Amino acid sequence: MLLDRYGRAATDLRVSLTDRCNLRCSYCMPAEGLDWLPTPEVLTDDEVVRLIDIAVTHLGVSEVRFTGGEPLIRRGFADIVARTARLRPRPQMAVTTNGLGLDKVAGALAAAGLDRVNVSLDTIRPDTFMAITRRDRFHDVVKGLAAAADAGLTPVKINAVLLRGHNEDQAPELLRWCIERGYDLRFIEQMPLDAQHSWSREQMITADEILASLRSEFDLSDHPDDRGSAPAELFVVDGGPSTVGVIASVTRPFCGDCDRVRLTADGQVRNCLFAREESDLRTAIRTGASDSELADRWRIAMWSKRPGHGIDDESFLQPVRSMSAIGG
Ligand code: SAM
Ligand code: SF4
């Protein structure tokens, strides 16, 4: 198992397949993009699958989420999914994507064994989409969502970030749109992980604000199910069956129940989104480490996971890598 000294076990592996992206969401990266990882530093498909195999067969990982950057732009993605689906015990597999191009690949990904998708969509207004993502691609995301649902990649989940001055007043219309189409919507508090370091607590839209905005148009009641290690607080909308989630990473941290571990596209294990240290599995894999040596390194990396992200501490420092380079 991937245990830490506070008794948490990491069973949910987030695998970043690339740091590159075809959008430029302002809360994630600057308009000009970032210095992408040089290709030789990125794990090959074989290396990615080998590390997932070790995580699943040696370390108790039961859920694999592919992310990035934008994972759909990784050429070998469907093949990585198919090879992961052959592992035993077979892990649950999901992808977090901006939805661009999903209309073309949803069927193939489902056939390869992908179970679910999370699509990031912050607005249903094309002009707001353009302002936030700096690309005019709203309708492509909508097509991608429909294709995912048709392909059975369900429940289709939508992640939304609210930004002051852009879409802070659009939570109710986004929820209505998702309910009409059968998508599960979750709002995520903006975190200090943008490459430009422009996050500020004062500018962030809090979970309380999100809920107040939703309650202006919907009746929300606490969801009866125990939340477990899920980061989203769930609410039943207008008596059900629809729900909405709020991930209050900043104002109501859930670090005590965290079951996640991350592998970056260049083969670094991160025991937390906000970790300031990484463990280099790429060098180990390329210098001939055995599976059990790699598993041991991974266990050691997890053991030092800190009890919480400490965003509220005086001493908090944003990690050097930004969200798209970590794998959100
Ligand atoms: N490109 C894919 C996408 O957008 O879904 C996957 C990677 S993206 C980094 C993963 C998730 O992180 C997205 O849902 C995005 O909205 C979220 N995200 C990015 N920067 C964030 C930030 N500063 N605070 C909160 N969420 C953020
Ligand atoms: Fe790209 Fe996702 Fe970051 Fe937006 S949030 S810029 S889609 S990696």
Side-chain angles (χ1 to χ4, degrees), residues 22-274:
N22 40 14
L23 292 183
R24 294 286 182 273
C25 306
S26 59
Y27 47 78
C28 184
M29 61 169 85
E32 65 275 18
L34 295 167
D35 291 333
W36 312 125
L37 289 167
T39 305
E41 289 183 17
V42 175
L43 296 180
T44 64
D45 292 1
D46 285 348
E47 288 169 339
V48 170
V49 174
R50 180 168 171 213
L51 289 175
I52 296 174
D53 185 353
I54 290 169
V56 168
T57 58
H58 294 249
L59 298 170
V61 162
S62 54
E63 204 173 331
V64 176
R65 172 172 298 276
F66 298 103
T67 180
E70 177 43 48
L72 297 192
I73 63 180
R74 170 118 182 185
R75 229 175 275 137
F77 182 39
D79 190 48
I80 291 172
V81 169
R83 292 168 70 184
T84 304
R86 290 199 285 273
L87 300 178
R88 292 294 175 271
R90 181 195 184 284
Q92 281 290 303
M93 267 184 293
V95 64
T96 300
T97 169
N98 62 28
L100 299 185
L102 187 56
D103 57 323
K104 296 186 187 67
V105 295
L109 291 175
L114 191 73
D115 297 301
R116 286 182 292 103
V117 291
N118 281 52
V119 176
S120 303
L121 181 65
D122 307 320
T123 175
I124 51 163
R125 300 187 198 177
D127 54 339
T128 308
F129 185 93
M130 170 80 194
I132 293 177
T133 68
R134 304 179 175 113
R135 298 287 186 271
D136 188 13
R137 305 291 301 272
F138 170 72
H139 296 288
D140 296 302
V141 182
V142 174
K143 274 196 275 177
L145 281 163
D150 286 348
L153 295 169
T154 49
V156 171
K157 294 190 180 176
I158 294 192
N159 295 347
V161 177
L162 293 184
L163 299 180
R164 218 172 282 288
H166 280 296
N167 60 347
E168 68 198 280
D169 54 346
Q170 298 180 23
E173 67 190 50
L174 184 55
L175 178 55
R176 202 172 298 287
W177 189 89
C178 289
I179 290 174
E180 283 166 9
R181 288 161 182 77
Y183 306 146
D184 289 353
L185 174 64
R186 292 124 39 101
F187 291 94
I188 308 175
E189 279 181 346
Q190 189 189 359
M191 294 180 276
L193 285 170
D194 58 310
Q196 316 86 293
H197 292 237
S198 62
W199 181 91
S200 83
R201 186 145 192 151
E202 297 68 46
Q203 283 301 310
M204 180 191 82
I205 310 284
T206 63
D208 285 348
E209 285 177 87
I210 297 166
L211 289 169
S213 169
L214 292 172
R215 286 195 160 112
S216 69
E217 293 193 27
F218 298 94
D219 174 54
L220 302 186
S221 50
D222 290 345
H223 197 280
D225 288 355
D226 179 21
R227 174 176 169 191
S229 61
E233 247 178 285
L234 274 190
F235 298 87
V236 176
V237 181
D238 289 341
S242 302
T243 60
V244 65
V246 178
I247 303 181
S249 321
V250 179
T251 60
R252 298 174 207 163
F254 35 85
C255 304
D257 293 317
C258 179
D259 63 356
R260 296 177 179 191
V261 55
R262 292 184 153 77
L263 180 66
T264 65
D266 55 342
Q268 311 297 307
V269 167
R270 296 179 62 89
N271 58 27
C272 171
L273 253 184
F274 295 92

Side-chain angles (χ1 to χ4, degrees), residues 243-310:
T243 60
V244 65
V246 178
I247 303 181
S249 321
V250 179
T251 60
R252 298 174 207 163
F254 35 85
C255 304
D257 293 317
C258 179
D259 63 356
R260 296 177 179 191
V261 55
R262 292 184 153 77
L263 180 66
T264 65
D266 55 342
Q268 311 297 307
V269 167
R270 296 179 62 89
N271 58 27
C272 171
L273 253 184
F274 295 92
R276 301 192 47 78
E277 300 86 34
E278 300 180 335
S279 180
D280 180 10
L281 295 189
R282 186 192 68 219
T283 302
I285 214 172
R286 291 184 182 174
T287 51
S290 67
D291 284 3
S292 68
E293 283 165 350
L294 290 165
D296 283 345
R297 274 177 178 263
W298 206 326
R299 282 192 200 93
I300 292 165
M302 277 322 282
W303 187 251
S304 58
K305 178 164 170 154
R306 287 188 298 167
H309 56 48

